[in-house]
Amino acid sequence: MKYFLAFLCLLEYLLHAFTQNTVPASEFQLEGDYLIGGLFDIHHVSAPVYHDRPEAIDCTSQPFLLPNYRRFQLMRFSVEEINNSTNLLPNVSLGYEIFDHCSDTQSFPGIFKLISDNGLIQPWDEPQKNLSKVSKVIAVVGPFTSTQGLTVAPLFMVDLIPMVSYGSSSSVFSKKFNFPSFLRTVHPNKDTIEVIVNILQQFNWRWVAFLNSYNDFGIDGRELFIKRIEDTEICLAYTKDININTNYHQVFKQIEAQKIHTIIVFAAKSTAEAVIDSAIQLNITNKVWIADDGWSLNTRLPKEKGIKSIGTVLGVSQPVVTIPGFSDFIYSSKSQNHCENAEQERFCNQVCNCSNLSAEDIIAADPSFSFPVYSAVYAIAHALHNTLQCGSGRCNDNITVYPHMVLAHLMKSNFTLLNRSIEFDENGDPKFGSYSIVFWNHSGDAEEVGFYNFHPSFHLYINNSKIQWYTTGEVPTSLCSPECPKGNTKKLNGIHKCCFNCQICPNGTYVNSTEDPYKCINCKETEWSAEGSTSCSLRVVEYIPFTHSGAIVIMVGACTLMGLTLAMSVLFAINYNTPVVRSAGGPMCFLILGCLSLCSLSVFFYFGKPTTSFCILRFLPFLLFYTVCLACFVVRSFQIVCIFKIAAKFPKLHSWWMKYHGQWLVITVAFLTQALLLLIGYSCVPPKPYNETVLYPNKIILGCDINFKATSTSVVLLLSLCSLCFIFSYMGKDLPKNYNEAKAITFCLLLLILTWIIFATEYLFYRGKYILTLNALAILSSLYSFLLWYFLPKCYIIIFQPQNNTQQYFQGLIQTYTKTISQ
């Protein structure tokens, strides 16, 4: 049906062409050596047109669009300016054939005229054939809308006729496989959406509505917007395909219900006007409106009564570029008589009922897309200039120009126009230009408050001080949920990531709002954090170094102990045959003193950074050799009781003990048993360095991991010996007053038990780094208890009371005690 209607119109044109030798002067046509086609919707079908019989669309009966007429005049001006130039296309004249493309889908007559020769549509053929039939139309400027472009572009793509659109911004035109000869001087929707998203991020507006016109332009914009905000904190709370017949009461009711304060209107001019008019009528207030470049420079809406009440209007617009000479051209053009007569009205879509317009009306119209039209014409002219190999004031007349040749040079465009470098990328999209950020001020003007540059780098700037917010100073907010305090995670409340509850992160965790604001991340073992943290801090690593004052004192104490044991050993060796040395254990004294010295080696391994060997030697010498010491005191206590009590009552047992050296047998068994237990325990689960990270959140206490199950049998053996020793020594508490070895052993054991009770109590309440110092001190105290309270008194007698160190003195004590117990 569409093609049939177009055919009817073409028949009218052909009839006129054969019956008339000349064509009256018209704004839509200009003769020239080469023609540029033009598609401008000076009128636009506002509603679907239905026919009950085949007929062409009468564009003059449709609403007149002044901004589009201004762009139409700008193309005429551009061609005239090029024809008057001596540098560009010298001695070559450009003409044009412009059509009022008033319908998105039904304006085919002008298209068929452009792709035909003298009104006859030619099938594609090899370029070298039918040279006389080569069309003068080398390229087309337009169309304006994306739907128009999608409708007509395939017809031009067949013969690779270049189309340079000044307004079709749908992203589909960047696909060169489908649109090989389509270029544009306006940025694609992707760039417009990028600017809008940057504005949202600049002002932290995350809860937004997106209203788009129900056409290729609007739907493409919505899809790009949804894709662009995927990895951002922006949420699309509401979206709606709209047109002039939409029920806006219901739309705004939904927006109010969801408490959305920022509304993006990505729509054609007429649809956007319907949205804003409805918002004023429905008394919609306190919103931020973001306009795309199609209606941001609207000259009517900013002056509407009640526009201030709807909130603040920001927009993305084409920069307003002053084109020198254009105003003079309009004044000159309107002074000429271009009023179409009845003959001209016979041309399909080449009539403009605009004779009542003044030059001032045209100049004051919406200047959007002016420079894209201007640069589109100049890009074609430069491409033709290069195709004809123009230079030195003339062009090569012998070159037959085909549209695809112009296309090749168009893709390589690189020239300067009004101080702007005009280039296209491999997709035919512009590599030049920028966007202006405008604000509808209270004077009814679209005031420029910022810009967004695409080349050479992306950069957004907005002068916030120029914007008069409806909130009287402060930037409005548009959030589903207020931002969480630092150190809080977002717990989603619904399907949108912008709606959440706040939850503070506990100790040992933090939230990285940049990477994942919905999760508390555990700190590493070497790090810590307080409640509500946004990062972790390194833990303080603590251990007792060898240079610590406490460590030095304890190590000096251990060295002193070894020195004292050596000195006592020498003293006992010199007085070996005296009663005091014999009663202290004789040769057993040297074993005890030696083991005490070896036990003191454990103390040195409690300091410094723990290693596996340090952890083993921290416990092994003490457990092994202190077992020997206790075993010696067990048999020594038993011998004391034997001599004074058992010998008299059980003489055979005493003789057996003496005959088979029972004391050494007990000591050897205890030593071997403990050595075997330690070997088994350390082989199965050896001690190893351990970092204590649980008790202190901000510290790492370096220690040793001891498996208590593996060492429990060794400790039980040690406790058993200690218990036996205490029992036997306690049995000898009533021995002679001056013969106090049993009492000395009992007192040493009491000190030993008290020491470890104190340490165990401290260990229950304190696990800091100084617990190692206390452990070493407990070991040293255990060693000194025997050294000072058992051996030192004997040294005192040897040195200062030699009269008590005689055989007669000791025999007298024994005889006196024996008579006492026999009575």
Side-chain angles (χ1 to χ4, degrees):
M1 177 64 73
K2 297 176 185 177
Y3 291 94
F4 184 70
L5 296 174
F7 183 70
L8 292 177
C9 193
L10 281 175
L11 288 177
E12 291 186 58
Y13 173 80
L14 292 173
L15 181 62
H16 175 77
F18 284 112
T19 56
Q20 300 293 328
N21 294 325
T22 60
V23 178
S26 170
E27 290 183 306
F28 288 85
Q29 291 177 314
L30 179 67
E31 291 297 324
D33 298 325
Y34 299 95
L35 296 182
I36 300 177
L39 299 175
F40 292 84
D41 47 345
I42 299 171
H43 300 85
H44 192 76
V45 177
S46 57
V49 179
Y50 298 99
H51 303 282
D52 57 1
R53 63 188 180 89
E55 60 180 310
I57 294 176
D58 181 11
C59 287
T60 58
S61 63
Q62 304 301 324
F64 175 73
L65 302 179
L66 180 57
N68 291 355
Y69 181 68
R70 186 182 191 276
R71 295 164 197 146
F72 159 77
Q73 292 291 351
L74 191 55
M75 177 175 172
R76 295 181 60 240
F77 163 73
S78 303
V79 172
E80 182 175 300
E81 188 177 56
I82 292 169
N83 286 336
N84 292 332
S85 171
T86 57
N87 297 321
L88 186 59
L89 294 173
N91 298 325
V92 174
S93 64
L94 277 181
Y96 50 76
E97 188 89 20
I98 305 176
F99 291 87
D100 185 1
H101 199 74
C102 63
S103 171
D104 286 345
T105 58
Q106 298 180 18
S107 293
F108 281 93
I111 307 305
F112 290 144
K113 174 65 175 69
L114 290 177
I115 61 177
S116 68
D117 177 57
N118 294 327
L120 299 174
I121 300 175
Q122 298 291 325
W124 185 87
D125 204 347
E126 293 295 329
Q128 62 268 25
K129 296 179 182 179
N130 299 324
L131 297 181
S132 60
K133 296 290 186 178
V134 174
S135 174
K136 287 185 177 181
V137 178
I138 57 169
V140 178
V141 174
F144 179 58
T145 70
S146 295
T147 302
Q148 292 170 351
L150 287 167
T151 304
V152 305
L155 299 174
F156 292 96
M157 300 299 107
V158 174
D159 283 331
L160 293 181
I161 298 174
M163 292 185 72
V164 185
S165 175
Y166 55 89
S168 300
S169 56
S170 178
S171 57
V172 70
F173 295 114
S174 296
K175 299 178 180 178
K176 289 299 99 179
F177 180 79
N178 297 327
F179 301 94
S181 61
F182 192 98
L183 298 89
R184 50 186 163 191
T185 52
V186 66
H187 283 276
N189 283 343
K190 175 176 67 69
D191 292 344
T192 310
I193 292 299
E194 180 68 27
V195 179
I196 291 174
V197 171
N198 274 267
I199 293 173
L200 296 177
Q201 292 175 326
Q202 171 112 350
F203 294 112
N204 199 30
W205 295 326
R206 303 179 185 175
W207 191 238
V208 302
F210 194 95
L211 307 180
N212 60 277
S213 54
Y214 188 48
N215 56 21
D216 298 285
F217 165 75
I219 294 171
D220 180 64
R222 182 191 63 204
E223 292 175 351
L224 290 169
F225 182 77
I226 292 172
K227 185 177 180 181
R228 176 61 181 81
I229 65 174
E230 280 181 357
D231 297 325
T232 69
E233 295 181 345
I234 300 169
C235 293
L236 181 56
Y238 179 78
T239 183
K240 178 72 174 176
D241 295 329
I242 56 174
N243 54 46
I244 57 176
N245 299 317
T246 298
N247 182 356
Y248 289 107
H249 174 76
Q250 188 65 29
V251 170
F252 290 123
K253 184 179 178 181
Q254 290 284 339
I255 290 174
E256 289 292 346
Q258 297 192 57
K259 299 179 180 179
I260 303 169
H261 299 298
T262 300
I263 303 172
I264 302 162
V265 182
F266 201 85
K269 176 176 174 288
S270 57
T271 306
E273 287 179 340
V275 173
I276 301 301
D277 288 336
S278 299
I280 295 173
Q281 293 171 9
L282 296 171
N283 196 28
I284 304 301
T285 60
N286 299 337
K287 305 295 180 191
V288 173
W289 304 81
I290 299 180
D292 66 75
D293 55 346
W295 65 279
S296 56
L297 296 181
N298 192 291
T299 54
R300 179 182 70 83
L301 290 176
K303 295 178 173 60
E304 282 290 312
K305 184 179 179 181
I307 191 67
K308 295 179 183 177
S309 65
I310 70 170
T312 304
V313 181
L314 299 177
V316 178
S317 76
Q318 301 285 334
V320 178
V321 180
T322 301
I323 299 176
F326 177 60
S327 298
D328 296 336
F329 171 80
I330 295 297
Y331 281 112
S332 174
S333 177
K334 296 308 290 183
S335 66
Q336 299 174 14
N337 184 12
H338 286 291
C339 294
E340 290 78 7
N341 54 33
E343 293 296 326
Q344 287 173 278
E345 290 180 5
R346 299 183 60 173
F347 293 106
C348 297
N349 299 347
Q350 286 187 303
V351 177
C352 177
N353 53 350
C354 46
S355 57
N356 59 339
L357 286 177
S358 67
E360 289 77 10
D361 292 334
I362 300 172
I363 294 170
D366 183 352
S368 299
F369 303 96
S370 295
F371 188 74
V373 174
Y374 188 63
S375 56
V377 176
Y378 264 89
I380 295 171
H382 276 274
L384 180 60
H385 181 93
N386 294 328
T387 304
L388 293 173
Q389 301 175 1
C390 298
S392 303
R394 59 180 294 113
C395 297
N396 190 343
D397 298 333
N398 298 322
I399 296 176
T400 302
V401 177
Y402 294 97
H404 73 273
M405 299 167 63
V406 178
L407 173 64
H409 288 284
L410 261 174
M411 293 297 293
K412 295 185 287 186
S413 295
N414 188 358
F415 62 94
T416 302
L417 183 65
L418 299 183
N419 298 320
R420 289 166 173 80
S421 178
I422 309 299
E423 294 181 71
F424 298 97
D425 63 17
E426 64 277 5
N427 297 320
D429 295 329
K431 291 174 65 176
F432 59 90
S434 62
Y435 274 121
S436 295
I437 311 300
V438 297
F439 156 69
W440 289 7
N441 60 29
H442 293 169
S443 302
D445 299 318
E447 178 184 354
E448 185 174 335
V449 295
F451 59 84
Y452 188 94
N453 286 333
F454 292 100
H455 301 282
S457 60
F458 299 100
H459 175 65
L460 174 68
Y461 169 77
I462 297 177
N463 187 347
N464 193 17
S465 62
K466 288 186 176 182
I467 304 175
Q468 298 166 310
W469 302 107
Y470 69 83
T471 50
T472 62
E474 294 184 358
V475 176
T477 59
S478 187
L479 303 169
C480 178
S481 300
E483 191 62 30
C484 288
K486 286 186 176 180
N488 282 250
T489 56
K490 300 174 182 178
K491 187 176 181 182
L492 290 180
N493 182 14
I495 61 172
H496 291 287
K497 60 187 175 184
C498 297
C499 303
F500 48 81
N501 298 320
C502 298
Q503 199 170 47
I504 194 166
C505 285
N507 292 335
T509 65
Y510 72 100
V511 58
N512 188 333
S513 299
T514 307
E515 292 183 2
D516 188 359
Y518 303 96
K519 182 181 178 183
C520 290
I521 305 170
N522 292 323
C523 295
K524 298 177 182 177
E525 281 196 359
T526 57
E527 298 175 335
W528 76 284
S529 68
E531 187 180 63
S533 295
T534 56
S535 63
C536 293
S537 303
L538 284 174
R539 293 189 179 197
V540 178
V541 178
E542 291 191 345
Y543 62 94
I544 305 297
F546 286 104
T547 56
H548 190 269
S549 57
I552 293 173
V553 169
I554 290 175
M555 288 188 292
V556 169
C559 292
T560 303
L561 185 140
M562 287 188 285
L564 288 174
T565 56
L566 180 61
M568 289 180 183
S569 298
V570 173
L571 182 63
F572 279 25
I574 294 172
N575 298 276
Y576 181 74
N577 293 318
T578 60
V580 170
V581 176
R582 290 289 183 179
S583 66
M588 199 177 293
C589 293
F590 300 104
L591 178 60
I592 295 172
L593 290 171
C595 287
L596 289 177
S597 296
L598 292 173
C599 285
S600 65
L601 293 176
S602 294
V603 170
F604 295 93
F605 298 101
Y606 278 86
F607 311 112
K609 201 168 185 180
T611 61
T612 301
S613 57
F614 267 47
C615 288
I616 293 173
L617 295 174
R618 185 175 289 183
F619 302 100
L620 180 63
F622 177 74
L623 290 174
L624 183 61
F625 296 110
Y626 207 71
T627 298
V628 177
C629 291
L630 286 178
C632 290
F633 282 111
V634 166
V635 297
R636 187 68 193 132
S637 302
F638 178 75
Q639 283 178 327
I640 293 172
V641 174
C642 250
I643 291 171
F644 288 99
K645 294 188 176 182
I646 299 178
K649 297 180 181 181
F650 305 99
K652 290 184 178 181
L653 178 61
H654 179 261
S655 62
W656 182 89
W657 179 269
M658 297 301 293
K659 180 180 179 181
Y660 293 103
H661 303 286
Q663 68 273 26
W664 298 111
L665 185 62
V666 170
I667 293 170
T668 303
V669 170
F671 173 75
L672 292 177
T673 302
Q674 185 67 290
L676 182 63
L677 292 175
L678 288 172
L679 180 63
I680 294 172
Y682 281 11
S683 297
C684 295
V685 189
K688 57 185 177 181
Y690 170 72
N691 298 338
E692 176 56 69
T693 59
V694 177
L695 296 176
Y696 298 94
N698 61 336
K699 298 177 183 178
I700 297 177
I701 308 297
L702 300 187
C704 291
D705 183 20
I706 304 298
N707 189 296
F708 288 103
K709 290 183 179 180
T711 58
S712 58
T713 52
S714 298
V715 176
V716 168
L717 177 60
L718 208 61
L719 291 174
S720 301
L721 291 174
C722 185
S723 300
L724 285 173
C725 186
F726 184 80
I727 292 169
F728 289 140
S729 62
Y730 185 76
M731 289 172 63
K733 67 181 189 305
D734 57 346
L735 290 176
K737 180 179 179 181
N738 294 329
Y739 197 88
N740 55 5
E741 287 192 26
K743 294 178 182 178
I745 293 173
T746 303
F747 183 71
C748 291
L749 290 173
L750 287 174
L751 286 178
L752 176 66
I753 293 168
L754 181 62
T755 296
W756 288 102
I757 288 175
I758 293 172
F759 173 74
T761 305
E762 292 171 340
Y763 188 79
L764 287 175
F765 296 101
Y766 174 71
R767 298 286 184 89
K769 67 176 181 178
Y770 293 108
I771 197 68
L772 298 176
T773 305
L774 296 174
N775 197 346
L777 188 62
I779 291 175
L780 202 60
S781 177
S782 301
L783 302 179
Y784 268 106
S785 64
F786 285 112
L787 189 70
L788 297 180
W789 302 108
Y790 184 79
F791 288 104
L792 189 62
K794 297 180 175 36
C795 294
Y796 179 81
I797 293 173
I798 292 173
I799 297 173
F800 297 106
Q801 294 181 348
Q803 68 276 9
N804 294 338
N805 190 18
T806 61
Q807 191 73 24
Q808 294 81 4
Y809 180 78
F810 272 79
Q811 286 179 352
L813 291 175
I814 294 172
Q815 289 173 0
T816 303
Y817 179 75
T818 304
K819 290 178 182 180
T820 302
I821 61 172
S822 64
Q823 293 176 357

